[in-house]
Amino acid sequence: MSDLPCQSIPVVEEFQRPPLPAEAFRRLAALPHVLFLDSALQNEKLGRYSFVAADPFTFLRVPADGSDGLSRLNDELRKWQAPTIEGLPPFQGGAAGLLSYDLGRSLERVPLPKFDEFGLPALAIGFYDIVLAYDHLQQRAWLISQGFPEASAQSRQIRAAARLEQFRKLLNSPVAEPKAKRTEVIRRDQLAPSYSVPGPAGLASNFSAEKYLATVQRAIDYIYAGDVFQVNLAQRLLFPAACDSIPLYLRLRERNPATFSAYFDLGDFQIASASPERFVQVRDQHVEARPIKGTRPRTSRAEADLFAGDELQESEKDRAENVMIVDLLRNDLSRVCQPDSVRVTQLCGLESYQFVQHLVSVVEGKLAAGMSPLDLVRAAFPGGSITGAPKVRAMEIISELEPTARGPYCGCLGYFGFDGSLDLNILIRTITAGRGWWQFPVGGGIVAQSSPQREYDETWTKAAGLLKAIVD
């Protein structure tokens, strides 16, 4: 490695021959709360950077009991600030981890779900003083060590150098297998009622097919009654854990690569995500959101694939679904952005992934003076693409119609940088491992034109890549 000219804190070194991101993740996975923000799918617009971090100096965990987790996060984050180092990838250390969907109950008065067997936290965030940052476009990688939680410049310098040396040795060493997670296993009879569904032996859902169709129709009835314009509905799939979560994630990123993939170890649970969707990003006060609405399955036949993409872009139902969420996001961003800065820079663009094609829009803005990335999250969380519109009434209907807590699903995973940057995905195409189970809800937006059978079929289209990963 060679030194990168920079100020004394943080300490920064560039790898000349860095391990591949997945290999670096494996070499650090034995440390507490390993985090892998993984651009497993890279293209010209997205997926330029990946980050691996572990062993945070502070770990914040807030239960899903309505507590104001964002205020606690803000109080802690304000203690640790560092300027951006130009020329390096954007995450240079900071608070990173999970904002679960159920954090929304601290922002809006929404009823509790009927079942919450797993009891996952509303917020689980590590404060990472050192990060391995990759720039895939330049094919370069750096270790960035901030020296926190030491306060004085000299103490920070000493800690930053020591931590960098510690991580350098780990990254140049053979893989140390993580210790097996010892957590209480939830018996099947302790779970919410479940139903066998097609797929690997042992796969179950919290809906029967008939019940899901009836529930979609109930959502459509709410739309015609004027309660909402759109509401997201999901079925939760469950599968008995067949291996450790690390090989599970490595299979997932190989078989269903995505631009906003991620792995995060909460301790008693782990999140393995192949998300294609960004919730919000902030860089230099510039805000970007990338809502997804509209889905079609991929096919191995190129001509049929193109036809399906054209049909999706021309679909009145899917475009209406997307535009509704764009309008909701414009309203959310306008609460914290400069007047007239909020604009739609892409409407219903077609993006293709391993198993699906999506309509993706882009909404941008600039934070108003005095507004922070956490203010943005408070204004926009949870993402409208996974609730519906109007948001609060849609969340109330979700609580009524879905029998089980969503947990991480439809929440966010990503980082709040020490320099004021922010990047969060939306946790769709995501497996939560823990207590002897892998759970992975799949759903979609219901609008007036929805067909219950087609909505049910779409959930299985979205599950395809996850099902490929759960069996070796």
Side-chain angles (χ1 to χ4, degrees):
M1 290 187 291
S2 62
D3 292 337
L4 182 77
C6 63
Q7 62 191 62
S8 58
I9 305 173
V11 175
V12 181
E13 286 189 3
E14 181 178 359
F15 270 93
Q16 293 303 315
R17 293 181 178 84
L20 292 173
E23 183 64 20
F25 162 62
R26 293 181 68 234
R27 293 181 188 182
L28 296 180
L31 295 176
H33 302 301
V34 64
L35 170 77
F36 186 14
L37 302 178
D38 177 20
S39 293
L41 180 67
Q42 298 151 30
N43 58 40
E44 294 179 0
K45 296 181 180 179
L46 301 170
R48 177 172 175 176
Y49 305 106
S50 291
F51 306 95
V52 188
D55 192 24
F57 63 85
T58 293
F59 195 80
L60 177 62
R61 188 182 180 105
V62 178
D65 60 2
S67 301
D68 188 354
L70 291 180
S71 289
R72 290 183 59 183
L73 173 59
N74 185 57
D75 290 345
E76 191 66 32
L77 192 57
R78 288 172 64 183
K79 300 176 185 177
W80 319 107
Q81 298 180 30
T84 302
I85 305 300
E86 295 298 328
L88 295 179
F91 180 44
Q92 301 174 10
L98 168 70
L99 308 179
S100 97
Y101 175 83
D102 300 309
L103 181 66
R105 290 204 298 274
S106 69
L107 304 173
E108 305 291 350
R109 304 184 78 175
V110 178
L112 294 169
K114 187 175 181 181
F115 297 99
D116 184 8
E117 321 99 298
F118 291 93
L120 279 126
L123 181 149
I125 297 283
F127 286 72
Y128 295 91
D129 58 304
I130 183 167
V131 60
L132 175 62
Y134 287 84
D135 183 331
H136 299 296
L137 181 64
Q138 296 189 56
Q139 297 185 327
R140 299 172 70 185
W142 298 264
L143 271 172
I144 306 166
S145 184
Q146 295 283 354
F148 292 132
E150 298 294 343
S152 72
Q154 182 178 10
S155 296
R156 277 187 64 192
Q157 176 73 38
I158 293 170
R159 176 177 166 86
R163 290 281 278 174
L164 191 142
E165 178 64 20
Q166 174 195 0
F167 274 68
R168 182 199 296 124
K169 288 181 179 178
L170 288 169
L171 290 165
N172 286 319
S173 300
V175 171
E177 293 300 328
K179 295 181 180 179
K181 305 289 183 183
R182 293 187 177 181
T183 59
E184 178 186 353
V185 174
I186 298 178
R187 302 191 312 269
R188 188 179 286 273
D189 64 0
Q190 295 174 303
L191 297 168
S194 61
Y195 306 86
S196 295
V197 289
L203 185 68
S205 171
N206 60 352
F207 283 97
S208 66
E210 295 76 15
K211 180 66 173 176
Y212 194 83
L213 296 176
T215 305
V216 172
Q217 185 57 56
R218 179 68 177 134
I220 294 170
D221 293 342
Y222 271 123
I223 293 168
Y224 278 107
D227 285 60
V228 285
F229 302 108
Q230 179 180 164
V231 62
N232 197 86
L233 186 66
Q235 62 167 324
R236 185 188 72 181
L237 301 179
L238 270 177
F239 190 73
C243 66
D244 186 79
S245 59
I246 291 172
L248 170 69
Y249 178 68
L250 294 174
R251 288 202 302 266
L252 179 63
R253 76 184 298 273
E254 176 187 356
R255 299 174 188 181
N256 191 29
T259 42
F260 299 103
S261 297
Y263 178 96
F264 181 50
D265 182 5
L266 285 68
D268 47 352
F269 293 92
Q270 297 81 44
I271 296 169
S273 179
S275 175
E277 183 169 1
R278 169 176 281 149
F279 174 40
V280 285
Q281 178 195 66
V282 178
R283 288 189 195 168
D284 299 322
Q285 300 297 98
H286 176 263
V287 177
E288 179 188 87
R290 297 180 58 85
I292 289 176
K293 277 296 169 192
T295 303
R296 291 293 184 277
R298 297 294 305 274
T299 173
S300 58
R301 294 177 296 155
E303 186 174 332
D305 210 41
L306 288 170
F307 177 81
D310 290 343
E311 191 272 331
L312 175 59
Q313 287 191 295
E314 294 169 3
S315 166
E316 180 181 343
K317 179 260 184 188
D318 291 288
R319 291 185 68 88
E321 194 178 329
N322 193 295
V323 168
M324 286 179 198
I325 301 306
V326 167
D327 286 343
L328 188 155
L329 266 169
R330 288 173 61 198
N331 180 68
D332 285 349
L333 266 59
S334 293
R335 295 162 63 185
V336 294
C337 287
Q338 293 179 7
D340 303 322
S341 73
V342 178
R343 61 195 188 279
V344 180
T345 55
Q346 174 178 298
L347 185 63
C348 297
L350 185 67
E351 294 186 3
S352 296
Y353 296 87
Q354 190 77 12
F355 294 95
V356 295
Q357 300 182 79
H358 285 307
L359 294 183
V360 183
S361 294
V362 179
V363 185
E364 299 183 56
K366 187 170 184 179
L367 285 180
M371 290 295 176
S372 71
L374 268 167
D375 293 321
L376 170 64
V377 173
R378 190 177 289 278
F381 187 87
S385 66
I386 45 75
T387 60
K391 184 184 291 186
V392 176
R393 183 63 184 123
M395 292 172 68
E396 293 171 346
I397 293 171
I398 289 167
S399 291
E400 174 193 334
L401 298 184
E402 292 184 10
T404 52
R406 287 186 166 185
Y409 173 69
C410 292
C412 300
L413 200 154
Y415 66 80
F416 299 80
F418 291 136
D419 60 355
S421 59
L422 164 72
D423 206 353
L424 299 172
N425 74 3
I426 285 188
L427 286 170
I428 55 176
R429 316 298 136 74
T430 294
I431 301 170
T432 301
R435 305 287 170 83
W437 296 91
W438 295 339
Q439 52 177 306
F440 46 106
V442 283
I446 313 301
V447 293
Q449 304 97 316
S450 289
S451 154
Q453 186 61 55
R454 288 191 65 175
E455 294 296 340
Y456 184 62
D457 293 344
E458 183 176 308
T459 68
W460 290 104
T461 296
K462 292 173 176 176
L466 301 172
L467 292 172
K468 292 279 188 182
I470 67 172
V471 288
D472 196 357

